[in-house]
Amino acid sequence: MPWLQLRVAVTPQQAARLEQALEGFGALSVTLMDAADQPIFEPELGTTPLWQQSELLALFEAEADQHSLREQLKQLDNSLKPQFEHLPDQDWQRHCMDSFKPLKIGKKLWIVPSWHQPPEPGALNLLLDPGLAFGTGSHPTTALCLQYLEAAVLAGRRVLDFGCGSGILALAALLLGAREVIGTDIDPQALAATKDNAQRNGLNDERLKLYLPEQLPTEKVDVLIANILAAPLQQLAGQFAQFLPSSGKIALSGILAEQAEAVLDAYSQDFEMAAPLEQDGWILLYGTRK
């Protein structure tokens, strides 16, 4: 069925009151979006910060009365400038699927949505369905990690993917020759997505082990890769060092350029770190255990 969409610019002070009011006016959904490309990173636990310039989108049934909605909004806050548009009916799941295309990483690795045919059947093709987990290869942090893994020598090595999400890095490591890969994530849905993607690629064998963080075995690994966020990376520096023997390799991403120095400081005691890699303002840090 078609829909009527309301679009209006709001401040953080207006947002909560307006969201509640629109639900009372019959909105089927209310969404807040960044209107000025202002990033919000690692909010404090229990907080839900909003952008200084936000855009609110509310979805109504197509026959909703625009004039009545305008009058109700005017009475609520005369400064609001609502805009309405009709949205045609469409298969939203198909729309999202169509936006995820096959992506080539480096010289030989392809990340291929599970509903696409591999563009190069003879290449290393990782068939991926992210499900509810993070990781499709399109974000710079994931792409940087995949480039690192492709350039690394993984044959015969044991790899730990800390924060495995969809399993994209863990499974790429297996395709690139790792002897064994351990994946861990705080979200059980991520472990389920990784397992599903492993089965999709015929990789659900003894070489892949999945754990919640508190269940991780203590054995050393040869390579540790973590694509999470800067603050937890800093907090985990000591724990990561314990996972790696002398000459073990580490790669860290999910780091903004302005956060790189603080993360480097956290790892400099135990690791010889190389020059950072950068893509679109995101950083990958890598090095070798002293």
Side-chain angles (χ1 to χ4, degrees), residues 107-243:
K107 297 180 179 179
K108 56 186 176 182
L109 180 64
W110 278 90
I111 307 301
V112 183
S114 58
W115 51 90
H116 278 271
Q117 290 297 317
E120 294 183 23
L124 289 180
N125 290 295
L126 175 53
L127 303 179
L128 191 74
D129 185 342
L132 298 177
F134 175 79
T136 64
S138 58
H139 194 276
T141 60
T142 312
L144 284 165
C145 290
L146 289 168
Q147 291 166 25
Y148 172 85
L149 287 174
E150 192 193 49
V153 178
L154 298 182
R157 294 192 170 186
R158 205 161 176 258
V159 178
L160 171 58
D161 178 7
F162 199 98
C164 59
S166 67
I168 184 171
L169 301 180
L171 301 181
L174 286 175
L175 286 177
L176 291 164
R179 172 174 59 88
E180 182 181 82
V181 174
I182 299 167
T184 185
D185 203 290
I186 61 174
D187 185 354
Q189 289 181 329
L191 301 183
T194 298
K195 184 176 181 180
D196 288 345
N197 283 317
Q199 293 174 336
R200 188 170 284 111
N201 288 273
L203 295 171
N204 190 28
D205 56 27
E206 292 301 315
R207 294 190 299 151
L208 176 65
K209 309 289 177 60
L210 300 173
Y211 302 94
L212 293 169
E214 61 271 20
Q215 299 169 343
L216 270 176
T218 57
E219 292 93 333
K220 303 283 187 184
V221 298
D222 302 298
V223 179
L224 188 154
I225 191 160
N227 181 20
I228 46 178
L229 291 170
L233 285 175
Q234 290 173 252
Q235 296 164 5
L236 289 163
Q239 182 179 344
F240 283 178
Q242 294 176 10
F243 277 116

